[in-house]
Amino acid sequence: MKRFFFTISAFFVAASAMAQLYAFSLNGKAQIQREDSLRDVFAADLLLEDDLLTTEEYGYIVILDRKNNKKYSLQSPSPQSIHSLIVSQGGNAKTLPKEHIHRLYLLLMGNDSEDTFALLDAAGVTYRSENIDLTIAHTMAQSATTEIVDFQFLDQFTLLPVPQVEEGQNVIIQIENHTDTPLYTNIIDSDPTGGKFVLLPVNTLDSLSDVFIPPHSRIRLKSNPISFAPGGTSDELTLIAHSEPFNISNVIRLIHSEALEAATNEDAADNTSHPGYVNTKTMDILAVGHP
């Protein structure tokens, strides 16, 4: 497995005053070296001049700049200084309101569960393209399904897979991204009456889009258990994922709209857009005291 090594000292030399930079790894494929110690990066302390940051293949790192209210997303960076990376990423940096940065910082530094970090790069997403929404709805209408982005439910306490849930049983969602691309994801629950419910997002940050998963990563939403009711029924669960953020409510609206019919025409469909990933499963909900 290849690794990349780069120093962050150049960034601090270039800065007139030390920025408040924090490094976060969303998939545990990064380490920070300080003197003779090497530790995994999930939520790093304030970075020092002589710290070394290393990433493995498919590593995905976010730099949170509290001083300038910015967030930089870096996927498998080539060996270069953080200063060079930030300069090259300058046009793609997410600028967030000061209050949002503060809330995000408190959330990240106060919680070490996997879902917290999976929500980091989804926070602050404001641009949503209806064309992406239409593309996803079209993929769903074609009943195309794949397991390259997979999901399952686990018992909240044992973390064992739960192929069937009992009414009222608390379970957590596990999602795996087996692609080489970071993905935004969400899950639609369709019940027998035709009702549709969005299982994600599960965070309350104002501008959160969807749960974000780095490439070749797995997340478990441990701090957000869910339950199903009523028992004695079966729900259809559909995970959707795309490399671009999307509006899940708009996707649901488009599934049954005339706009979706237009997407079946070659002239109307945007062939440059990735169709996205769809994975549909049936979940049996058992009644309490079932035989």
Side-chain angles (χ1 to χ4, degrees):
M1 182 176 293
K2 63 182 179 181
R3 294 174 180 264
F4 298 128
F5 295 80
F6 49 94
T7 179
I8 64 172
S9 59
F11 177 80
F12 291 96
V13 172
S16 57
M18 183 175 293
Q20 296 182 33
L21 295 176
Y22 296 81
F24 298 89
S25 170
L26 279 76
N27 57 5
K29 296 186 178 181
Q31 297 81 36
I32 189 168
Q33 181 177 341
R34 182 170 299 170
E35 296 179 347
D36 295 330
S37 64
L38 180 69
R39 60 185 176 85
D40 292 338
V41 173
F42 282 104
D45 297 331
L46 187 65
L47 300 177
L48 303 179
E49 292 185 21
D50 55 353
D51 287 345
L52 294 176
L53 197 61
T54 71
T55 66
E56 301 176 4
E57 188 174 14
Y58 302 118
Y60 194 94
I61 298 173
V62 173
I63 303 295
L64 187 65
D65 184 347
R66 292 192 67 199
K67 182 177 181 180
N68 297 308
N69 302 329
K70 291 187 176 181
K71 175 169 64 76
Y72 301 87
S73 302
L74 312 169
Q75 181 183 0
S76 298
S78 57
Q80 55 183 307
S81 69
I82 284 289
H83 172 65
S84 299
L85 287 168
I86 288 181
V87 168
S88 65
Q89 291 273 325
N92 298 322
K94 300 290 184 184
T95 301
L96 304 178
K98 183 177 181 180
E99 295 78 9
H100 193 121
I101 283 281
H102 181 66
R103 291 167 59 197
L104 186 60
Y105 168 79
L106 293 177
L107 173 69
L108 289 165
M109 299 304 288
N111 193 328
D112 61 358
S113 62
E114 293 178 50
D115 47 323
T116 300
F117 303 102
L119 296 170
L120 171 60
D121 211 50
V125 173
T126 56
Y127 172 75
R128 296 184 173 112
S129 168
E130 182 158 317
N131 181 63
I132 297 297
D133 301 338
L134 186 59
T135 299
I136 293 172
H138 181 242
T139 301
M140 294 178 64
Q142 298 300 307
S143 300
T145 187
T146 178
E147 293 184 358
I148 196 169
V149 184
D150 201 8
F151 73 103
Q152 62 179 320
F153 292 91
L154 310 178
D155 182 89
Q156 179 187 7
F157 304 106
T158 67
L159 298 182
L160 294 175
V162 179
Q164 298 175 316
V165 298
E166 185 174 283
E167 180 180 358
Q169 177 184 5
N170 283 345
V171 294
I172 64 171
I173 302 172
Q174 174 178 289
I175 307 175
E176 296 179 276
N177 176 9
H178 299 292
T179 75
D180 297 341
T181 307
L183 296 173
Y184 295 90
T185 67
N186 216 310
I187 298 176
I188 299 173
D189 177 6
S190 302
D191 67 19
T193 67
K196 295 186 183 300
F197 307 91
V198 178
L199 297 188
L200 307 174
V202 292
N203 192 267
T204 56
L205 287 173
D206 296 337
S207 56
L208 180 65
S209 175
D210 304 288
V211 170
F212 177 88
I213 308 180
H216 298 278
S217 299
R218 182 201 71 188
I219 65 165
R220 292 175 174 175
L221 302 176
K222 296 179 182 178
S223 61
N224 296 275
I226 61 175
S227 61
F228 293 87
T233 61
S234 295
D235 285 10
E236 184 178 83
L237 304 169
T238 301
L239 178 143
I240 55 179
H242 203 282
S243 57
E244 298 292 332
F246 53 88
N247 186 328
I248 184 64
S249 298
N250 200 33
V251 170
I252 294 175
R253 179 184 65 81
L254 287 168
I255 291 174
H256 303 293
S257 71
E258 294 180 359
L260 182 58
E261 297 180 9
T264 61
N265 299 325
E266 185 175 350
D267 292 338
D270 182 358
N271 294 322
T272 64
S273 297
H274 190 282
Y277 303 98
V278 174
N279 188 348
T280 300
K281 299 181 179 182
T282 299
M283 170 66 75
D284 293 329
I285 305 170
L286 305 177
V288 177
H290 62 92

